[in-house]
Amino acid sequence: MPDLVIRNLHANITGTDTELLKGIDLQMSKGEIHAIMGPNGSGKSTLSHVLMGHPGYEVTEGEVLFEGQNLLDLAADQRSRAGLFLSFQYPFAVPGVTVANFIRMAVNAHRKGGPDGVDNPVRIPEFRKQIQEAMELLEIDKSMASRSLNDGFSGGEKKRFEILQMAMLQPKIAILDETDSGLDIDALRIVSDGINRLVGPNMGTLIITHYQRILDYVKPDQIHVLMDGRIVRSGGAELAHELETSGYADIAKEVVS
Amino acid sequence: MAPETADVDLGEYKWGFHDEENPVIKIERGLNEDVIRQISAHKGEPKWMLDFRLDAYEIFLSKPMPNWGADLSGIDFDNIFYYLKPAESNARSWDDVPETIKNTFERLGIPEAERKFLAGVGAQYESEVIYHSLKKELEDQGILFLDTGQALLEHEDLFREHFASIIPSADNKFSALNSAVWSGGSFIYVPPGVRIEQPLQAYFRINAENMGQFERTLIIVDEGAYVHYVEGCTAPTYSSDSLHSAVVEILVKKGGRCRYTTIQNWSNNVYNLVTKRAVAEEDATMEWVDGNLGSKVTMKYPAVILKGERAHGEILSIAFAGEGQHQDAGGKVTHVAPNTTSVITSKSISKDGGRSSYRGLLRVNKDAEGSKSKVVCDALIIDPESRTDTYPYINIMADQVDIGHEATVSKLGEEQIYYLMSRGLSEAEASALIVAGFVEPITKELPLEYAVELNRLIQLQMEGSVG
Ligand SMILES: Nc1ncnc2c1ncn2[C@@H]1O[C@H](COP(=O)(O)OP(=O)(O)OP(=O)(O)O)[C@@H](O)[C@H]1O
Ligand SMILES: [Mg+2]
């Protein structure tokens, strides 16, 4: 069975009957690169948050299996420790908490594992070495590790730090929600290299994007088009080129007809 | 949709235990002239002090209860014990402290902290300081650090020169009460130019039910000298209330600096009504770092009077109001001399129906031209049941001053917690981390040991709510 199986997933805004996801089916495994494209407001971020466990959405139908386990039974922190990662489209700031301390806490939470896990904190010199290496690869200035997480960061800096967290937590499936938006041309290449280095037998990624460019660096196995809460088309890399030239209008017509 | 978090009760107050009482003297409940005479007689005080006490008692009786701030209607002055002497003598060695009391301070970690990083320690239990120490080399430099009652007997002239000179009995109802029945507290004198690099710490422990603790602290930092004094406090949890009402007076002379750090963690049945005020002379610096986590009600506004030119005052205040608690805290600065500067930073957290209020007074007198002041108060509300208020009084009478005031109120955001949880932190860890980040501008000012302690206390308070 694929590592991530999404079946007929429906979700509402919590406490309302506004349905945002209207039956999503998608399967993927470690080692694979999938991309989701789709117009603004079609439900891409909603899907990523429903998978991660955002309390603002509730699943009304369908199921999600992660390595065979029912993902929807887990709280967000348990999903993270199980190996799911989300690079946020809009990361939150945590004033007064440094990047380094925060990532160390997250790493330790992962090393501890489940709720009854035993503390097994990473040794500080070892952690320092790891984070420095990861920061070098992502060409992040060392001094930034002691700044407050995302506090006053530029849009592009926030995205780089999301990828830094991904590199440090080593997830099995990473959802990257518009990680490419806001990155300059060099940063896009650096971040893409970082993603490519991690994708392999231990990690697969689901890239949400509006642009062809990142997909030139991180070559998708499959592309899915999400419109109005449903995946309306899936195909190979060529689909992105098609969308780049003709937009979503043609697909929308197809779907209606 | 989210599964339930395991219900672990980590938020329980850890210092709520009590020892069996074995007092040497315990004066009967309630307050009258005879009780005051007994206290003074037990202490073998000079006559002027008894007169001072009796005079203060009259003032206490004549003043009404404050009609502002927190609700004090639950205080029953007749039900309080005003003096309890727990041990025969004020020991210089822990070996000479009665076993049960020594064990309590062991549990509170005091002897250990003393060995590790303190220059001196005073430990008060009920009405009396039962242990006191100061490193030999500091004693040799002429530093005085002893309990205030002993200072009255041994250094009467120095004592009398400063006692009640900054906070007169008539300042408020509770300073009058303290003046009438005071016992214990720390007396510190730091000679000119002497810098004490490690902190001096006093620890205040209430043990008996319905106890009143009224310590009196007097600190004199001579010219160019420096001291960091730290106080901590805890009490057992009882179903009926206790009262803690201290008076702290500080004089920082020309070019001197004093930092006074409080980590107040009384149990939830203590009324904590404290008057603290410092005078800073020319080029002197006074810093209050005031952490209020415990108590049922706290009313406390550490004050600095910037009396000499270029004096600097700083007040960093953290208040954490949990279930059933009201923290009415803040600070007062009076700029008297020209070119004086001050900063007030207040951070409050309200949770589980708790209420925190920032109450500040900034006054710039007519002659204090060229003064600068900045007031920042931020409140964080954890849940909709809790409450926060700000009462920032500003009174500027001088020209050419630079005054800034900022206030924010934020709510602990569900989405921010979710963001941290998506990295693997539990809900409790996530909210504790956000709160720790919120108070970081203050904890970063503390010596590591106290920053760790404060963060740990905040974490315990936060964990109590999740489940
Ligand atoms: N909590 C919410 N309350 C109200 N509306 C919401 C909420 N969350 C999402 N929506 C709405 O649901 C729709 C889908 O939003 P979503 O963020 O998933 O879009 P998206 O595909 O990620 O768009 P973009 O490409 O602009 O990032 C939008 O119309 C959005 O306004
Ligand atoms: Mg989006």
Side-chain angles (χ1 to χ4, degrees):
Chain A
M1 181 165 53
D3 295 319
L4 178 67
V5 178
I6 303 170
R7 280 195 200 117
N8 189 31
L9 185 65
H10 290 252
N12 288 1
I13 296 171
T14 302
T16 74
D17 41 19
T18 309
E19 187 170 61
L20 298 180
L21 301 184
K22 302 174 179 173
I24 303 265
D25 289 276
L26 196 154
Q27 303 196 341
M28 66 174 291
S29 281
K30 287 181 282 223
E32 296 174 6
I33 298 171
H34 288 235
I36 293 186
M37 303 184 81
N40 293 130
S42 56
K44 303 181 297 299
S45 295
T46 303
L47 173 62
S48 71
H49 287 309
V50 168
L51 293 176
M52 197 68 237
H54 191 303
Y57 303 103
E58 61 191 356
V59 173
T60 51
E61 220 186 308
E63 64 172 356
V64 181
L65 301 176
F66 187 72
E67 294 189 314
Q69 189 185 12
N70 192 347
L71 191 72
L72 302 177
D73 282 347
L74 306 178
D77 56 324
Q78 295 168 314
R79 298 184 195 192
S80 165
R81 296 196 296 266
L84 188 66
F85 182 85
L86 171 59
S87 167
F88 281 53
Q89 184 176 3
Y90 305 111
F92 286 84
V94 192
V97 178
T98 66
V99 169
N101 279 342
F102 172 63
I103 297 183
R104 187 155 56 88
M105 278 187 77
V107 166
N108 285 338
H110 279 247
R111 289 167 66 108
K112 184 172 165 180
D116 306 321
V118 182
D119 278 325
N120 175 25
V122 57
R123 291 184 51 246
I124 293 189
E126 183 187 330
F127 173 76
R128 204 171 282 151
K129 190 166 154 275
Q130 285 170 3
I131 193 168
Q132 275 174 11
E133 279 173 14
M135 286 174 76
E136 262 165 48
L137 287 174
L138 292 168
E139 299 188 22
I140 295 171
D141 192 81
K142 250 197 238 154
S143 65
M144 297 233 7
S146 49
R147 280 183 55 181
S148 287
L149 183 66
N150 295 329
D151 193 19
F153 284 16
S154 75
E157 282 167 348
K158 286 182 186 168
K159 298 301 175 69
R160 279 198 214 205
F161 277 90
E162 293 291 285
I163 298 303
L164 174 66
Q165 293 176 51
M166 176 179 86
M168 293 298 291
L169 295 176
Q170 306 196 335
K172 294 167 182 161
I173 300 286
I175 306 164
L176 310 181
D177 190 0
E178 294 200 29
T179 300
D180 54 339
S181 308
L183 292 177
D184 64 45
I185 296 165
D186 294 330
L188 181 62
R189 182 183 42 75
I190 293 160
V191 164
S192 300
D193 286 349
I195 297 167
N196 280 328
R197 207 170 287 116
L198 290 165
V199 175
N202 298 319
M203 188 182 100
T205 183
L206 181 61
I207 297 178
I208 296 171
T209 182
H210 288 295
Y211 305 107
Q212 167 63 38
R213 179 172 269 129
I214 187 170
L215 303 178
D216 290 339
Y217 291 112
V218 186
K219 298 245 160 18
D221 301 299
Q222 271 193 64
I223 293 181
H224 311 277
V225 179
L226 189 68
M227 292 180 85
D228 191 25
R230 291 184 187 89
I231 290 177
V232 293
R233 276 267 300 269
S234 294
E238 71 290 345
L239 190 52
H241 292 280
E242 193 185 319
L243 290 170
E244 191 93 335
T245 46
S246 52
Y248 294 107
D250 291 351
I251 299 184
K253 266 183 241 148
E254 272 172 45
V255 172
V256 173
S257 58
Chain B
M1 183 185 74
E4 284 180 8
T5 325
D7 194 352
V8 274
D9 186 15
L10 292 167
E12 193 193 332
Y13 184 71
K14 294 282 190 289
W15 300 268
F17 64 91
H18 64 267
D19 306 334
E20 198 174 310
E21 278 180 54
N22 201 0
V24 178
I25 298 164
K26 185 173 185 179
I27 299 179
E28 70 278 13
R29 276 178 212 272
L31 186 56
N32 53 50
E33 228 182 87
D34 183 52
V35 167
I36 293 169
R37 286 179 190 280
Q38 283 187 59
I39 294 173
S40 190
H42 282 309
K43 290 174 175 289
E45 290 173 348
K47 167 102 179 14
W48 70 266
M49 182 54 77
L50 174 62
D51 294 342
F52 173 88
R53 289 178 182 277
L54 293 172
D55 178 52
Y57 180 55
E58 288 303 317
I59 297 170
F60 167 71
L61 291 177
S62 69
K63 278 196 181 282
M65 289 293 271
N67 60 358
W68 50 275
D71 176 10
L72 303 179
S73 61
I75 301 177
D76 180 359
F77 289 107
D78 296 333
N79 195 38
I80 300 280
F81 291 98
Y82 287 82
Y83 184 79
L84 194 165
K85 181 174 181 171
E88 207 47 73
S89 64
N90 175 348
R92 300 281 284 176
S93 153
W94 284 107
D95 293 338
D96 298 332
V97 174
E99 193 70 18
T100 43
I101 300 180
K102 186 173 86 179
N103 288 342
T104 288
F105 283 104
E106 294 273 359
R107 282 173 77 175
L108 296 166
I110 308 303
E112 192 191 343
E114 178 183 6
R115 285 192 295 275
K116 282 191 185 149
F117 63 91
L118 296 171
V121 167
Q124 178 158 347
Y125 189 91
E126 319 288 27
S127 303
E128 293 291 352
V129 176
I130 50 84
Y131 171 82
H132 222 283
S133 76
L134 177 66
K135 282 192 174 160
K136 176 80 172 61
E137 64 267 29
L138 297 177
E139 234 172 69
D140 293 346
Q141 292 177 60
I143 295 162
L144 299 177
F145 177 44
L146 64 170
D147 96 68
T148 308
Q150 202 185 346
L152 166 61
L153 302 179
E154 293 176 13
H155 305 274
E156 190 174 338
D157 292 344
L158 182 63
F159 181 100
R160 201 170 176 176
E161 183 188 345
H162 296 287
F163 182 80
S165 66
I166 296 174
I167 304 176
S169 306
D171 188 78
N172 65 75
K173 188 170 181 78
F174 290 91
S175 64
L177 177 62
N178 175 281
S179 299
V181 297
W182 73 270
S183 180
S186 303
F187 180 90
I188 301 173
Y189 171 73
V190 193
V194 172
R195 297 180 55 84
I196 312 180
E197 297 302 339
Q198 291 176 306
L200 296 175
Q201 177 163 336
Y203 200 93
F204 297 91
R205 175 77 182 169
I206 289 176
N207 180 63
E209 188 164 12
N210 306 131
M211 188 61 212
Q213 195 175 55
F214 305 97
E215 88 271 10
R216 180 101 191 184
T217 288
L218 178 55
I219 301 177
I220 301 144
V221 180
D222 216 322
E223 296 189 1
Y226 168 68
V227 67
H228 182 188
Y229 175 81
V230 184
E231 62 176 1
C233 21
T234 57
T237 307
Y238 288 116
S239 53
S240 61
D241 300 329
S242 293
L243 174 62
H244 173 254
S245 187
V247 166
V248 177
E249 298 174 281
I250 300 179
L251 174 63
V252 194
K253 293 196 182 178
K254 188 175 171 181
R257 176 172 164 217
C258 178
R259 168 169 279 209
Y260 190 114
T261 297
T262 303
I263 298 186
Q264 180 270 105
N265 192 25
W266 295 117
S267 52
N268 285 355
N269 50 295
V270 175
Y271 282 89
N272 184 45
L273 309 165
V274 174
T275 310
K276 291 178 163 170
R277 191 173 304 154
V279 169
E281 295 186 345
E282 199 176 312
D283 293 308
T285 295
M286 176 66 212
E287 299 155 310
W288 296 104
V289 181
D290 201 35
N292 291 301
L293 290 117
S295 80
K296 174 176 183 173
V297 165
T298 285
M299 283 175 69
K300 178 161 37 126
Y301 324 97
V304 189
I305 297 169
L306 300 166
K307 196 173 157 199
E309 207 163 331
R310 293 175 302 278
H312 177 69
E314 192 136 348
I315 299 165
L316 300 172
S317 166
I318 296 186
F320 196 123
E323 188 179 352
Q325 291 183 292
H326 186 173
Q327 307 282 10
D328 199 89
K332 294 192 218 172
V333 177
T334 308
H335 292 254
V336 176
N339 303 312
T340 46
T341 53
S342 66
V343 180
I344 300 178
T345 310
S346 157
K347 298 263 180 182
S348 75
I349 300 146
S350 315
K351 184 187 139 251
D352 294 336
R355 178 175 174 194
S356 62
S357 315
Y358 166 79
R359 194 178 297 276
L361 173 63
L362 175 67
R363 230 183 110 99
V364 182
N365 287 1
K366 205 156 108 322
D367 296 334
E369 309 102 26
S371 293
K372 280 188 194 164
S373 178
K374 191 175 157 204
V375 179
V376 179
C377 41
D378 299 324
L380 181 65
I381 302 181
I382 304 296
D383 48 49
E385 291 73 46
S386 304
R387 170 172 172 191
T388 184
D389 310 279
T390 355
Y391 306 95
Y393 302 100
I394 298 183
N395 184 357
I396 314 285
M397 286 166 286
D399 299 325
Q400 303 190 334
V401 293
D402 177 359
I403 308 294
H405 180 262
E406 289 166 30
T408 66
V409 176
S410 43
K411 296 193 164 66
L412 186 65
E414 189 183 49
E415 294 212 296
Q416 200 181 18
I417 291 178
Y418 157 66
Y419 178 63
L420 299 188
M421 286 177 75
S422 80
R423 302 314 189 223
L425 306 193
S426 69
E427 187 174 348
E429 287 169 333
S431 35
L433 189 65
I434 292 167
V435 173
F438 173 74
V439 298
E440 186 266 356
I442 293 179
T443 46
K444 75 163 191 266
E445 292 295 323
L446 296 175
L448 184 65
E449 292 81 2
Y450 298 106
V452 169
E453 170 74 1
L454 195 66
N455 275 330
R456 201 171 57 92
L457 293 175
I458 289 172
Q459 200 169 343
L460 285 171
Q461 294 250 30
M462 288 305 299
E463 279 170 346
S465 69
V466 178

